[in-house]
PDB file of all heavy atoms in Angstrom:
ATOM      1  N   TYR A 437      -2.184   0.999  -2.831  1.00  0.00           N
ATOM      2  CA  TYR A 437      -2.656   1.327  -4.215  1.00  0.00           C
ATOM      3  C   TYR A 437      -3.443   2.655  -4.221  1.00  0.00           C
ATOM      4  O   TYR A 437      -4.129   2.999  -3.332  1.00  0.00           O
ATOM      5  CB  TYR A 437      -3.519   0.234  -4.815  1.00  0.00           C
ATOM      6  CG  TYR A 437      -2.812  -1.093  -4.820  1.00  0.00           C
ATOM      7  CD1 TYR A 437      -2.935  -1.999  -3.777  1.00  0.00           C
ATOM      8  CD2 TYR A 437      -1.993  -1.422  -5.906  1.00  0.00           C
ATOM      9  CE1 TYR A 437      -2.274  -3.183  -3.734  1.00  0.00           C
ATOM     10  CE2 TYR A 437      -1.334  -2.605  -5.913  1.00  0.00           C
ATOM     11  CZ  TYR A 437      -1.482  -3.516  -4.869  1.00  0.00           C
ATOM     12  OH  TYR A 437      -0.828  -4.689  -4.881  1.00  0.00           O
ATOM     13  N   ALA A 438      -3.280   3.354  -5.359  1.00  0.00           N
ATOM     14  CA  ALA A 438      -4.145   4.567  -5.527  1.00  0.00           C
ATOM     15  C   ALA A 438      -5.606   4.127  -5.597  1.00  0.00           C
ATOM     16  O   ALA A 438      -5.937   2.951  -6.017  1.00  0.00           O
ATOM     17  CB  ALA A 438      -3.739   5.306  -6.774  1.00  0.00           C
ATOM     18  N   ASP A 439      -6.529   4.855  -5.125  1.00  0.00           N
ATOM     19  CA  ASP A 439      -7.958   4.524  -5.172  1.00  0.00           C
ATOM     20  C   ASP A 439      -8.499   4.163  -6.513  1.00  0.00           C
ATOM     21  O   ASP A 439      -9.293   3.291  -6.659  1.00  0.00           O
ATOM     22  CB  ASP A 439      -8.784   5.690  -4.614  1.00  0.00           C
ATOM     23  CG  ASP A 439      -8.615   5.933  -3.148  1.00  0.00           C
ATOM     24  OD1 ASP A 439      -8.090   5.001  -2.454  1.00  0.00           O
ATOM     25  OD2 ASP A 439      -8.973   6.956  -2.675  1.00  0.00           O
ATOM     26  N   SER A 440      -7.910   4.781  -7.586  1.00  0.00           N
ATOM     27  CA  SER A 440      -8.325   4.568  -8.895  1.00  0.00           C
ATOM     28  C   SER A 440      -7.988   3.108  -9.466  1.00  0.00           C
ATOM     29  O   SER A 440      -8.602   2.686 -10.399  1.00  0.00           O
ATOM     30  CB  SER A 440      -7.629   5.608  -9.878  1.00  0.00           C
ATOM     31  OG  SER A 440      -6.314   5.435  -9.816  1.00  0.00           O
ATOM     32  N   VAL A 441      -7.069   2.449  -8.798  1.00  0.00           N
ATOM     33  CA  VAL A 441      -6.674   1.089  -9.292  1.00  0.00           C
ATOM     34  C   VAL A 441      -6.899   0.003  -8.223  1.00  0.00           C
ATOM     35  O   VAL A 441      -6.694  -1.134  -8.507  1.00  0.00           O
ATOM     36  CB  VAL A 441      -5.174   1.122  -9.716  1.00  0.00           C
ATOM     37  CG1 VAL A 441      -4.865   2.262 -10.696  1.00  0.00           C
ATOM     38  CG2 VAL A 441      -4.232   1.133  -8.590  1.00  0.00           C
ATOM     39  N   LYS A 442      -7.244   0.460  -7.015  1.00  0.00           N
ATOM     40  CA  LYS A 442      -7.402  -0.492  -5.890  1.00  0.00           C
ATOM     41  C   LYS A 442      -8.423  -1.613  -6.306  1.00  0.00           C
ATOM     42  O   LYS A 442      -9.470  -1.336  -6.876  1.00  0.00           O
ATOM     43  CB  LYS A 442      -7.919   0.239  -4.714  1.00  0.00           C
ATOM     44  CG  LYS A 442      -7.711  -0.466  -3.384  1.00  0.00           C
ATOM     45  CD  LYS A 442      -7.994   0.433  -2.193  1.00  0.00           C
ATOM     46  CE  LYS A 442      -7.125   1.580  -2.063  1.00  0.00           C
ATOM     47  NZ  LYS A 442      -7.401   2.513  -0.984  1.00  0.00           N
ATOM     48  N   GLY A 443      -8.030  -2.858  -6.067  1.00  0.00           N
ATOM     49  CA  GLY A 443      -8.894  -4.002  -6.436  1.00  0.00           C
ATOM     50  C   GLY A 443      -8.740  -4.532  -7.746  1.00  0.00           C
ATOM     51  O   GLY A 443      -9.210  -5.605  -8.120  1.00  0.00           O
ATOM     52  N   ARG A 444      -7.958  -3.788  -8.603  1.00  0.00           N
ATOM     53  CA  ARG A 444      -7.770  -4.188  -9.993  1.00  0.00           C
ATOM     54  C   ARG A 444      -6.268  -4.406 -10.252  1.00  0.00           C
ATOM     55  O   ARG A 444      -5.938  -5.286 -11.152  1.00  0.00           O
ATOM     56  CB  ARG A 444      -8.248  -3.136 -10.988  1.00  0.00           C
ATOM     57  CG  ARG A 444      -9.761  -2.834 -10.829  1.00  0.00           C
ATOM     58  CD  ARG A 444     -10.221  -1.905 -11.972  1.00  0.00           C
ATOM     59  NE  ARG A 444      -9.566  -0.623 -11.817  1.00  0.00           N
ATOM     60  CZ  ARG A 444      -8.828  -0.040 -12.768  1.00  0.00           C
ATOM     61  NH1 ARG A 444      -8.574  -0.780 -13.858  1.00  0.00           N
ATOM     62  NH2 ARG A 444      -8.240   1.172 -12.658  1.00  0.00           N
ATOM     63  N   PHE A 445      -5.380  -3.714  -9.627  1.00  0.00           N
ATOM     64  CA  PHE A 445      -3.913  -3.870  -9.845  1.00  0.00           C
ATOM     65  C   PHE A 445      -3.251  -4.566  -8.685  1.00  0.00           C
ATOM     66  O   PHE A 445      -3.649  -4.363  -7.502  1.00  0.00           O
ATOM     67  CB  PHE A 445      -3.270  -2.484  -9.995  1.00  0.00           C
ATOM     68  CG  PHE A 445      -3.605  -1.757 -11.282  1.00  0.00           C
ATOM     69  CD1 PHE A 445      -4.577  -2.201 -12.173  1.00  0.00           C
ATOM     70  CD2 PHE A 445      -2.862  -0.629 -11.623  1.00  0.00           C
ATOM     71  CE1 PHE A 445      -4.812  -1.527 -13.278  1.00  0.00           C
ATOM     72  CE2 PHE A 445      -3.135   0.034 -12.852  1.00  0.00           C
ATOM     73  CZ  PHE A 445      -4.138  -0.360 -13.634  1.00  0.00           C
ATOM     74  N   THR A 446      -2.261  -5.291  -8.913  1.00  0.00           N
ATOM     75  CA  THR A 446      -1.499  -6.029  -7.883  1.00  0.00           C
ATOM     76  C   THR A 446       0.014  -5.880  -8.184  1.00  0.00           C
ATOM     77  O   THR A 446       0.454  -6.250  -9.309  1.00  0.00           O
ATOM     78  CB  THR A 446      -1.827  -7.535  -7.760  1.00  0.00           C
ATOM     79  OG1 THR A 446      -3.212  -7.688  -7.561  1.00  0.00           O
ATOM     80  CG2 THR A 446      -1.037  -8.143  -6.656  1.00  0.00           C
ATOM     81  N   MET A 447       0.719  -5.254  -7.123  1.00  0.00           N
ATOM     82  CA  MET A 447       2.159  -5.232  -7.346  1.00  0.00           C
ATOM     83  C   MET A 447       2.840  -6.325  -6.589  1.00  0.00           C
ATOM     84  O   MET A 447       2.455  -6.647  -5.497  1.00  0.00           O
ATOM     85  CB  MET A 447       2.667  -3.857  -6.807  1.00  0.00           C
ATOM     86  CG  MET A 447       4.125  -3.537  -7.067  1.00  0.00           C
ATOM     87  SD  MET A 447       4.479  -1.825  -6.557  1.00  0.00           S
ATOM     88  CE  MET A 447       6.213  -1.862  -6.918  1.00  0.00           C
ATOM     89  N   SER A 448       3.918  -6.818  -7.173  1.00  0.00           N
ATOM     90  CA  SER A 448       4.666  -7.855  -6.492  1.00  0.00           C
ATOM     91  C   SER A 448       6.240  -7.666  -6.846  1.00  0.00           C
ATOM     92  O   SER A 448       6.586  -6.827  -7.697  1.00  0.00           O
ATOM     93  CB  SER A 448       4.254  -9.235  -6.996  1.00  0.00           C
ATOM     94  OG  SER A 448       4.396  -9.481  -8.356  1.00  0.00           O
ATOM     95  N   ARG A 449       6.995  -8.444  -6.200  1.00  0.00           N
ATOM     96  CA  ARG A 449       8.455  -8.323  -6.335  1.00  0.00           C
ATOM     97  C   ARG A 449       9.106  -9.745  -6.317  1.00  0.00           C
ATOM     98  O   ARG A 449       8.636 -10.558  -5.622  1.00  0.00           O
ATOM     99  CB  ARG A 449       9.013  -7.489  -5.136  1.00  0.00           C
ATOM    100  CG  ARG A 449      10.409  -7.132  -5.063  1.00  0.00           C
ATOM    101  CD  ARG A 449      10.683  -6.181  -3.983  1.00  0.00           C
ATOM    102  NE  ARG A 449      10.127  -6.590  -2.662  1.00  0.00           N
ATOM    103  CZ  ARG A 449       9.962  -5.831  -1.658  1.00  0.00           C
ATOM    104  NH1 ARG A 449      10.315  -4.522  -1.716  1.00  0.00           N
ATOM    105  NH2 ARG A 449       9.413  -6.262  -0.545  1.00  0.00           N
ATOM    106  N   GLU A 450      10.088  -9.942  -7.174  1.00  0.00           N
ATOM    107  CA  GLU A 450      10.788 -11.189  -7.177  1.00  0.00           C
ATOM    108  C   GLU A 450      12.329 -10.853  -6.972  1.00  0.00           C
ATOM    109  O   GLU A 450      12.954 -10.281  -7.854  1.00  0.00           O
ATOM    110  CB  GLU A 450      10.595 -11.823  -8.601  1.00  0.00           C
ATOM    111  CG  GLU A 450      11.232 -13.267  -8.631  1.00  0.00           C
ATOM    112  CD  GLU A 450      10.705 -13.982  -9.941  1.00  0.00           C
ATOM    113  OE1 GLU A 450       9.992 -13.448 -10.702  1.00  0.00           O
ATOM    114  OE2 GLU A 450      11.211 -15.135 -10.099  1.00  0.00           O
ATOM    115  N   TYR A 451      12.775 -11.269  -5.862  1.00  0.00           N
ATOM    116  CA  TYR A 451      14.093 -10.923  -5.455  1.00  0.00           C
ATOM    117  C   TYR A 451      15.244 -11.490  -6.312  1.00  0.00           C
ATOM    118  O   TYR A 451      16.115 -10.700  -6.746  1.00  0.00           O
ATOM    119  CB  TYR A 451      14.455 -11.406  -4.001  1.00  0.00           C
ATOM    120  CG  TYR A 451      13.618 -10.740  -2.874  1.00  0.00           C
ATOM    121  CD1 TYR A 451      13.383 -11.362  -1.744  1.00  0.00           C
ATOM    122  CD2 TYR A 451      12.972  -9.505  -3.165  1.00  0.00           C
ATOM    123  CE1 TYR A 451      12.658 -10.703  -0.729  1.00  0.00           C
ATOM    124  CE2 TYR A 451      12.248  -8.934  -2.230  1.00  0.00           C
ATOM    125  CZ  TYR A 451      12.030  -9.505  -0.938  1.00  0.00           C
ATOM    126  OH  TYR A 451      11.278  -8.949  -0.002  1.00  0.00           O
ATOM    127  N   PRO A 452      15.214 -12.817  -6.670  1.00  0.00           N
ATOM    128  CA  PRO A 452      16.320 -13.294  -7.460  1.00  0.00           C
ATOM    129  C   PRO A 452      16.517 -12.608  -8.795  1.00  0.00           C
ATOM    130  O   PRO A 452      17.615 -12.401  -9.242  1.00  0.00           O
ATOM    131  CB  PRO A 452      16.028 -14.782  -7.583  1.00  0.00           C
ATOM    132  CG  PRO A 452      15.156 -15.121  -6.479  1.00  0.00           C
ATOM    133  CD  PRO A 452      14.311 -13.891  -6.319  1.00  0.00           C
ATOM    134  N   LYS A 453      15.380 -12.187  -9.365  1.00  0.00           N
ATOM    135  CA  LYS A 453      15.435 -11.516 -10.597  1.00  0.00           C
ATOM    136  C   LYS A 453      15.589  -9.979 -10.473  1.00  0.00           C
ATOM    137  O   LYS A 453      15.543  -9.297 -11.493  1.00  0.00           O
ATOM    138  CB  LYS A 453      14.295 -11.862 -11.475  1.00  0.00           C
ATOM    139  CG  LYS A 453      14.131 -13.355 -11.813  1.00  0.00           C
ATOM    140  CD  LYS A 453      12.903 -13.591 -12.745  1.00  0.00           C
ATOM    141  CE  LYS A 453      12.903 -15.035 -13.208  1.00  0.00           C
ATOM    142  NZ  LYS A 453      11.738 -15.303 -14.080  1.00  0.00           N
ATOM    143  N   ASN A 454      15.469  -9.476  -9.275  1.00  0.00           N
ATOM    144  CA  ASN A 454      15.552  -8.007  -9.000  1.00  0.00           C
ATOM    145  C   ASN A 454      14.529  -7.344  -9.909  1.00  0.00           C
ATOM    146  O   ASN A 454      14.755  -6.303 -10.477  1.00  0.00           O
ATOM    147  CB  ASN A 454      17.024  -7.477  -9.317  1.00  0.00           C
ATOM    148  CG  ASN A 454      17.373  -6.406  -8.319  1.00  0.00           C
ATOM    149  OD1 ASN A 454      17.001  -6.429  -7.057  1.00  0.00           O
ATOM    150  ND2 ASN A 454      18.012  -5.322  -8.735  1.00  0.00           N
ATOM    151  N   THR A 455      13.297  -7.860  -9.814  1.00  0.00           N
ATOM    152  CA  THR A 455      12.280  -7.412 -10.721  1.00  0.00           C
ATOM    153  C   THR A 455      10.978  -7.148  -9.913  1.00  0.00           C
ATOM    154  O   THR A 455      10.709  -7.827  -8.964  1.00  0.00           O
ATOM    155  CB  THR A 455      11.985  -8.440 -11.693  1.00  0.00           C
ATOM    156  OG1 THR A 455      13.097  -8.685 -12.539  1.00  0.00           O
ATOM    157  CG2 THR A 455      10.887  -8.006 -12.733  1.00  0.00           C
ATOM    158  N   VAL A 456      10.246  -6.073 -10.288  1.00  0.00           N
ATOM    159  CA  VAL A 456       9.011  -5.779  -9.797  1.00  0.00           C
ATOM    160  C   VAL A 456       7.966  -5.927 -10.827  1.00  0.00           C
ATOM    161  O   VAL A 456       8.287  -5.712 -12.067  1.00  0.00           O
ATOM    162  CB  VAL A 456       8.907  -4.377  -9.108  1.00  0.00           C
ATOM    163  CG1 VAL A 456       9.705  -4.351  -7.867  1.00  0.00           C
ATOM    164  CG2 VAL A 456       9.244  -3.292 -10.064  1.00  0.00           C
ATOM    165  N   TYR A 457       6.794  -6.286 -10.502  1.00  0.00           N
ATOM    166  CA  TYR A 457       5.642  -6.572 -11.504  1.00  0.00           C
ATOM    167  C   TYR A 457       4.397  -5.692 -11.119  1.00  0.00           C
ATOM    168  O   TYR A 457       4.194  -5.273  -9.938  1.00  0.00           O
ATOM    169  CB  TYR A 457       5.245  -8.021 -11.492  1.00  0.00           C
ATOM    170  CG  TYR A 457       6.454  -8.974 -11.710  1.00  0.00           C
ATOM    171  CD1 TYR A 457       7.120  -9.582 -10.793  1.00  0.00           C
ATOM    172  CD2 TYR A 457       6.819  -9.231 -13.069  1.00  0.00           C
ATOM    173  CE1 TYR A 457       8.153 -10.438 -11.032  1.00  0.00           C
ATOM    174  CE2 TYR A 457       7.875 -10.081 -13.359  1.00  0.00           C
ATOM    175  CZ  TYR A 457       8.566 -10.700 -12.317  1.00  0.00           C
ATOM    176  OH  TYR A 457       9.590 -11.580 -12.622  1.00  0.00           O
ATOM    177  N   LEU A 458       3.646  -5.457 -12.092  1.00  0.00           N
ATOM    178  CA  LEU A 458       2.328  -4.885 -11.897  1.00  0.00           C
ATOM    179  C   LEU A 458       1.346  -5.656 -12.768  1.00  0.00           C
ATOM    180  O   LEU A 458       1.313  -5.540 -13.980  1.00  0.00           O
ATOM    181  CB  LEU A 458       2.314  -3.389 -12.281  1.00  0.00           C
ATOM    182  CG  LEU A 458       1.073  -2.616 -11.924  1.00  0.00           C
ATOM    183  CD1 LEU A 458       0.873  -2.627 -10.339  1.00  0.00           C
ATOM    184  CD2 LEU A 458       0.974  -1.260 -12.492  1.00  0.00           C
ATOM    185  N   GLN A 459       0.525  -6.478 -12.092  1.00  0.00           N
ATOM    186  CA  GLN A 459      -0.609  -7.173 -12.723  1.00  0.00           C
ATOM    187  C   GLN A 459      -1.783  -6.262 -12.740  1.00  0.00           C
ATOM    188  O   GLN A 459      -2.285  -5.788 -11.709  1.00  0.00           O
ATOM    189  CB  GLN A 459      -0.939  -8.470 -11.936  1.00  0.00           C
ATOM    190  CG  GLN A 459      -2.120  -9.213 -12.528  1.00  0.00           C
ATOM    191  CD  GLN A 459      -1.787  -9.777 -13.927  1.00  0.00           C
ATOM    192  OE1 GLN A 459      -0.740 -10.289 -14.152  1.00  0.00           O
ATOM    193  NE2 GLN A 459      -2.724  -9.639 -14.843  1.00  0.00           N
ATOM    194  N   MET A 460      -2.232  -5.981 -13.938  1.00  0.00           N
ATOM    195  CA  MET A 460      -3.412  -4.975 -14.178  1.00  0.00           C
ATOM    196  C   MET A 460      -4.515  -5.784 -14.739  1.00  0.00           C
ATOM    197  O   MET A 460      -4.369  -6.351 -15.864  1.00  0.00           O
ATOM    198  CB  MET A 460      -2.883  -3.866 -15.118  1.00  0.00           C
ATOM    199  CG  MET A 460      -1.667  -3.140 -14.617  1.00  0.00           C
ATOM    200  SD  MET A 460      -1.284  -1.731 -15.570  1.00  0.00           S
ATOM    201  CE  MET A 460      -1.032  -2.389 -17.098  1.00  0.00           C
ATOM    202  N   ASN A 461      -5.633  -5.800 -14.058  1.00  0.00           N
ATOM    203  CA  ASN A 461      -6.830  -6.485 -14.497  1.00  0.00           C
ATOM    204  C   ASN A 461      -7.967  -5.531 -14.641  1.00  0.00           C
ATOM    205  O   ASN A 461      -7.940  -4.343 -14.102  1.00  0.00           O
ATOM    206  CB  ASN A 461      -7.296  -7.641 -13.449  1.00  0.00           C
ATOM    207  CG  ASN A 461      -6.229  -8.649 -13.380  1.00  0.00           C
ATOM    208  OD1 ASN A 461      -5.429  -9.051 -14.359  1.00  0.00           O
ATOM    209  ND2 ASN A 461      -6.109  -9.240 -12.219  1.00  0.00           N
ATOM    210  N   SER A 462      -9.024  -5.916 -15.335  1.00  0.00           N
ATOM    211  CA  SER A 462     -10.234  -5.068 -15.467  1.00  0.00           C
ATOM    212  C   SER A 462      -9.851  -3.629 -15.964  1.00  0.00           C
ATOM    213  O   SER A 462     -10.294  -2.675 -15.350  1.00  0.00           O
ATOM    214  CB  SER A 462     -10.978  -5.011 -14.257  1.00  0.00           C
ATOM    215  OG  SER A 462     -11.396  -6.298 -13.832  1.00  0.00           O
ATOM    216  N   LEU A 463      -8.971  -3.579 -16.926  1.00  0.00           N
ATOM    217  CA  LEU A 463      -8.392  -2.257 -17.413  1.00  0.00           C
ATOM    218  C   LEU A 463      -9.439  -1.441 -17.915  1.00  0.00           C
ATOM    219  O   LEU A 463     -10.521  -1.828 -18.544  1.00  0.00           O
ATOM    220  CB  LEU A 463      -7.269  -2.516 -18.412  1.00  0.00           C
ATOM    221  CG  LEU A 463      -5.931  -2.952 -17.800  1.00  0.00           C
ATOM    222  CD1 LEU A 463      -5.056  -3.648 -18.827  1.00  0.00           C
ATOM    223  CD2 LEU A 463      -5.247  -1.782 -17.130  1.00  0.00           C
ATOM    224  N   LYS A 464      -9.293  -0.077 -17.706  1.00  0.00           N
ATOM    225  CA  LYS A 464     -10.220   0.862 -18.134  1.00  0.00           C
ATOM    226  C   LYS A 464      -9.505   1.934 -18.976  1.00  0.00           C
ATOM    227  O   LYS A 464      -8.237   2.045 -18.901  1.00  0.00           O
ATOM    228  CB  LYS A 464     -10.750   1.641 -16.948  1.00  0.00           C
ATOM    229  CG  LYS A 464     -11.488   0.775 -15.900  1.00  0.00           C
ATOM    230  CD  LYS A 464     -11.933   1.645 -14.714  1.00  0.00           C
ATOM    231  CE  LYS A 464     -12.575   0.744 -13.671  1.00  0.00           C
ATOM    232  NZ  LYS A 464     -13.092   1.512 -12.446  1.00  0.00           N
TER     233      LYS A 464
END
């Protein structure tokens, strides 16, 4: 993660759906 989002954003991937996600918390 970029330093600016580290600890707040989480990236994940779901193979069957061929989808990637970005969970963004504590948004600024």
Side-chain angles (χ1 to χ4, degrees):
Y437 301 93
D439 288 344
S440 60
V441 308
K442 200 172 295 182
R444 301 186 296 119
F445 288 13
T446 303
M447 184 174 182
S448 60
R449 180 172 52 197
E450 187 171 358
Y451 296 159
K453 295 185 178 180
N454 216 39
T455 300
V456 294
Y457 302 97
L458 186 67
Q459 177 67 44
M460 307 189 296
N461 299 328
S462 301
L463 282 161
K464 303 176 180 180

